[in-house]
Amino acid sequence: MDAKAMNCLTYGLFVLTARRGEKDNGCIVNTVQQVTAQPNRIGVAVNKLNFTHDMIMDTGVFNVSIISESAEFSLFQRFGFQSGRDVDKFDGFSDWKVADNGVRYITAGDNAYLCAKVVQTLDLGTHTLFVADVTEMEVIGQEPSVTYGYYHAHIKPQPGQSAAGESAAGESAAESDGKKTVWRCKICGYEYVGEELPEDYICPVCKHPASDFEKVVG
Ligand code: FE
């Protein structure tokens, strides 16, 4: 069995937003799909470690902004590389509006948004699958929707560029001390310094498991 077969699946990327009380928040997901057309219904699997997950569990309402190829890396940093438990992800950010359901959606770097109301949840262990009816939707841009592959090839800073290190781990540990063993998250660029990466380690930035880390120095 070759687990790399899973890498042949294609994915889009989305900003998943929710609002609970006076708190607005959002995260990046790659797991939105339409599951039925009548009614218009979507499925979204969300990692339980994400603050947005808890907000949707409580409110049953969320929006999906469909990220396009025009998105800046900063959009992924803002919504994907930090936690809404620690920061206000909308602080200093003005590219959003409020939809009829009271939840924000993104107005730059995306081409459409969907508003959704949860009709069913399925506990998947690490994730919850939210099945939701689309209650409102609009096209807001003409750029092609981004794919996970396009993001890795064209938007995410390549090795040697500084943005990923700055966003995820401050000064690059690999460059600051070549003698240490460093494990780098292949998803977001976060660097863990240590001889061995614990098997159950989870990236504190993007929440991917130890299997998505590669040894870069040591
Ligand atoms: Fe990561």
Side-chain angles (χ1 to χ4, degrees):
M1 188 166 85
D2 186 354
K4 289 193 180 72
M6 298 299 278
N7 298 340
C8 296
L9 289 167
T10 57
Y11 300 92
L13 286 164
F14 315 89
V15 183
L16 178 70
T17 44
R19 177 178 174 85
R20 183 174 62 185
E22 295 302 308
K23 174 77 172 179
D24 288 283
N25 191 41
C27 65
I28 303 285
V29 297
N30 67 339
T31 50
V32 179
Q33 61 175 318
Q34 183 178 17
V35 292
T36 63
Q38 291 181 327
N40 243 320
R41 190 165 276 179
I42 57 177
V44 187
V46 186
N47 193 310
K48 292 177 180 176
L49 296 175
N50 284 334
F51 190 42
T52 309
H53 169 276
D54 296 351
M55 296 170 74
I56 296 173
M57 282 296 273
D58 286 350
T59 64
V61 177
F62 64 85
N63 290 347
V64 171
S65 298
I66 302 174
I67 300 175
S68 72
E69 292 181 357
S70 66
E72 303 280 342
F73 182 63
S74 58
L75 183 70
F76 297 91
Q77 289 178 297
R78 173 175 291 278
F79 288 102
F81 291 6
Q82 50 188 354
S83 173
R85 289 188 182 87
D86 310 322
V87 300
D88 174 4
K89 294 189 182 182
F90 284 91
D91 185 34
F93 181 71
S94 57
D95 296 329
W96 56 269
K97 289 182 180 173
V98 179
D100 288 351
N101 64 357
V103 178
R104 295 177 181 182
Y105 64 94
I106 309 303
T107 57
D110 58 342
N111 58 21
Y113 71 91
L114 313 173
C115 301
K117 185 171 177 42
V118 175
V119 294
Q120 200 174 337
T121 63
L122 181 62
D123 188 336
L124 301 178
T126 58
H127 290 60
T128 296
L129 177 64
F130 295 105
V131 178
D133 283 344
V134 175
T135 57
E136 183 192 355
M137 52 185 156
E138 295 292 342
V139 173
I140 58 175
Q142 299 304 317
E143 291 283 331
S145 300
V146 79
T147 62
Y148 205 45
Y150 186 94
Y151 165 76
H152 277 282
H154 301 290
I155 297 178
K156 187 180 80 168
Q158 303 304 309
Q161 290 181 269
S162 62
E166 285 171 6
S167 68
E171 182 187 4
S172 170
E175 291 164 13
S176 64
D177 189 343
K179 294 176 183 172
K180 290 180 179 172
T181 298
V182 174
W183 300 81
R184 183 183 292 147
C185 176
K186 290 187 282 187
I187 307 301
C188 74
Y190 179 84
E191 291 178 345
Y192 173 93
V193 179
E195 199 55 38
E196 293 298 330
L197 185 69
E199 274 182 27
D200 59 352
Y201 191 74
I202 292 173
C203 177
V205 174
C206 72
K207 312 293 190 294
H208 277 247
S211 55
D212 281 321
F213 279 73
E214 59 187 349
K215 199 175 189 176
V216 292
V217 179

